[in-house]
Amino acid sequence: DTGVSQDPRHKITKRGQNVTFRCDPISEHNRLYWYRQTLGQGPEFLTYFQNEAQLEKSRLLSDRFSAERPKGSFSTLEIQRTEQGDSAMYLCASSRTGTGVSGELFFGEGSRLTVL
Amino acid sequence: GEDVEQSLFLSVREGDSSVINCTYTDSSSTYLYWYKQEPGAGLQLLTYIFSNMDMKQDQRLTVLLNKKDKHLSLRIADTQTGDSAIYFCAESSSGTASKLTFGTGTRLQVTL
């Protein structure tokens, strides 16, 4: 399978704990995106990388959230001191600039976070 | 900021046409998209339209864009049970799709 993969698929944690999600994009894709989706809502943009550079961050991304893509391949999204409001599906997507349909993001299946 | 709205639910009979509607507020949107989300699967791009187009047809899918009213619709002809999913309208004003703004999604239920 050469699609976008995310790990873990589901994480249950207690309030105040730290969690980290990993995303492996499609190998030739230079852009990587993180979105958050809560129940009954559409995905909301969090941040995106072009290669290893983080080019844009949403105001939704508080100081407790940090994302990295150190070598321009996989990315991690860490949430520190989790709160119940952080419970959501965290979606990763990737794309390749200059080819294909502009705006065609390839999404992973998501990492569901439940904060108790 | 940008806002994209959709109705929450649509039920159609197999074989009928489905029309899913979307309104958006960002007049600088350059691309508009329809994504499909099936249970347990990632979102998948169905089709898209450039803002300088009025209509785009792709097999059973027809996209209509009314830029004046900022209204986008997706028509699925001969709807099948396999079309049951959540459909998201999305827009990008960046031109390079660095950030998409999604609607809340419309759940399409296809009945026999």
Side-chain angles (χ1 to χ4, degrees):
Chain A
D1 186 11
T2 57
V4 177
S5 63
Q6 294 188 242
D7 183 71
R9 295 290 310 279
H10 195 180
K11 177 74 176 177
I12 301 173
T13 191
K14 291 184 177 179
R15 190 170 48 129
Q17 298 295 303
N18 299 343
V19 297
T20 299
F21 300 114
R22 176 182 170 122
C23 172
D24 287 89
I26 294 171
S27 59
E28 64 268 25
H29 285 184
N30 58 343
R31 284 192 170 180
L32 186 148
Y33 310 78
W34 286 100
Y35 281 79
R36 182 174 71 186
Q37 186 177 19
T38 53
L39 198 63
Q41 299 296 317
E44 296 173 295
F45 171 81
L46 292 179
T47 187
Y48 93 99
F49 294 83
Q50 179 153 311
N51 301 312
E52 64 275 7
Q54 189 173 16
L55 295 188
E56 190 171 346
K57 290 167 61 172
S58 163
R59 287 171 292 176
L60 293 175
L61 216 63
S62 76
D63 291 344
R64 297 184 296 104
F65 288 70
S66 62
E68 293 183 344
R69 194 183 183 198
K71 297 182 181 177
S73 57
F74 74 91
S75 174
T76 58
L77 176 68
E78 182 185 14
I79 308 173
Q80 296 182 322
R81 303 181 303 282
T82 52
E83 301 172 357
Q84 288 183 326
D86 297 331
S87 295
M89 180 76 85
Y90 290 85
L91 302 173
C92 178
S94 68
S95 69
R96 184 178 178 189
T97 53
T99 62
V101 175
S102 182
E104 181 169 16
L105 306 185
F106 293 81
F107 281 86
E109 294 179 10
S111 293
R112 181 173 295 283
L113 174 65
T114 302
V115 181
L116 302 176
Chain B
E2 304 91 352
D3 192 23
V4 180
E5 293 189 357
Q6 301 177 238
S7 54
L8 292 180
F9 184 75
L10 176 66
S11 180
V12 299
R13 286 184 139 177
E14 188 178 40
D16 288 350
S17 292
S18 309
V19 180
I20 302 171
N21 295 301
C22 167
T23 57
Y24 60 97
T25 57
D26 189 351
S27 58
S28 65
S29 295
T30 52
Y31 299 86
L32 295 129
Y33 312 89
W34 286 102
Y35 276 79
K36 179 182 182 182
Q37 187 176 39
E38 295 180 275
L43 280 85
Q44 181 181 17
L45 179 68
L46 270 184
T47 186
Y48 67 98
I49 189 168
F50 295 118
S51 60
N52 61 358
M53 297 169 66
D54 298 325
M55 186 183 85
K56 180 179 179 182
Q57 187 147 5
D58 183 1
Q59 299 181 338
R60 292 190 298 122
L61 306 178
T62 304
V63 179
L64 294 178
L65 174 61
N66 181 329
K67 198 172 179 184
K68 174 177 171 288
D69 294 337
K70 299 189 184 69
H71 182 267
L72 183 74
S73 68
L74 173 69
R75 179 178 180 269
I76 306 173
D78 187 25
T79 312
Q80 302 297 306
T81 54
D83 295 324
S84 294
I86 301 176
Y87 291 80
F88 292 95
C89 170
E91 64 89 22
S92 168
S93 57
S94 68
T96 55
S98 61
K99 180 177 78 174
L100 296 184
T101 301
F102 285 86
T104 52
T106 300
R107 180 178 295 276
L108 175 64
Q109 179 184 67
V110 183
T111 59
L112 297 174

